Amino acid sequence: MSETARRRASLEDFLGIPEAQRFHELIAGEIVEKASPSGEHEGAQAGVIGAVRSPDQRRAGGPGGPGGPGGPGEWWILTEVEVLLDSGDLVRPDVVGWRRERSVDQPSGFPVRLRPDWTCEVITPLRATDDTVKRLRIYHQAQIPHDGLVDTRDAQLTVMRWSAPGDITVLTTERGEIVRPEPFDAIELAVGTLFGDDPPEPA
């Protein structure tokens, strides 16, 4: 059967995969299995989560996580959840966030149907183009306000902000720098901590 004649997978096809085995995404009508994460990938993902779930920043009115206090400017931060976008694509961002001012309760469901306010992907070296081109194109189409890319190959963090013509890169930074990345401007982030470095000593 030719590519043009191949039937596009539906959401029902996707949800037909047993939940315990469903480490997939539905992209442009194709069910795609997500690559198994490496130790570096898992470490960077944990570093991002630790940064944006900082208890000190929750108290300061910055980003929070499940169980933190509510209020404008705070966040629900989740990992590897299934998110259905208006395009029909179903994605599993490495880390994803919703502002609590848009969602009083933690986004839920299989899949979550509320558009995220922020996504962050840890680049998988063998599928780097999927993360840096295809996935960002889908997120732009969905008008997700902010996206982040964490690249373990070069220990770099890139932050992008949505705009109609195309996402704008607002920050590219590397290990050794301390930044306040959008949309988490309340956080003072030592970039190296995303890659296993110890936090800097307090001044």
Side-chain angles (χ1 to χ4, degrees), residues 74-142:
E74 297 190 0
W75 294 78
W76 295 109
I77 301 296
L78 303 175
T79 63
E80 298 285 352
V81 295
E82 298 169 352
V83 180
L84 181 64
L85 303 175
D86 288 344
S87 60
D89 295 307
L90 194 150
V91 294
R92 291 177 64 101
D94 289 325
V95 191
V96 60
W98 292 263
R99 292 186 184 274
R100 291 188 181 216
E101 62 192 21
R102 287 185 59 232
S103 180
V104 176
D105 298 319
Q106 177 177 302
S108 60
F110 297 98
V112 175
R113 295 175 182 266
L114 180 64
R115 187 213 71 202
D117 293 299
W118 168 78
T119 69
C120 184
E121 299 291 346
V122 180
I123 295 173
T124 302
L126 293 178
R127 296 186 180 178
T129 301
D130 289 346
D131 290 327
T132 61
V133 179
K134 296 178 182 178
R135 188 179 300 279
L136 289 183
R137 188 175 293 143
I138 290 169
Y139 292 165
H140 179 264
Q141 181 182 358

Side-chain angles (χ1 to χ4, degrees), residues 151-180:
D151 193 339
T152 59
R153 298 168 298 182
D154 302 313
Q156 291 183 339
L157 167 67
T158 301
V159 176
M160 286 149 290
R161 183 196 310 140
W162 188 89
S163 74
D167 286 348
I168 300 169
T169 298
V170 294
L171 177 68
T172 301
T173 188
E174 61 184 351
R175 175 180 259 138
E177 296 184 77
I178 298 177
V179 296
R180 291 183 178 273

Side-chain angles (χ1 to χ4, degrees), residues 21-43:
Q21 302 170 22
R22 202 164 67 215
F23 302 101
H24 302 72
E25 295 178 296
L26 178 62
I27 305 294
E30 181 180 359
I31 295 174
V32 181
E33 186 173 3
K34 285 204 76 172
S36 298
S38 64
E40 292 84 358
H41 184 288
E42 292 276 11

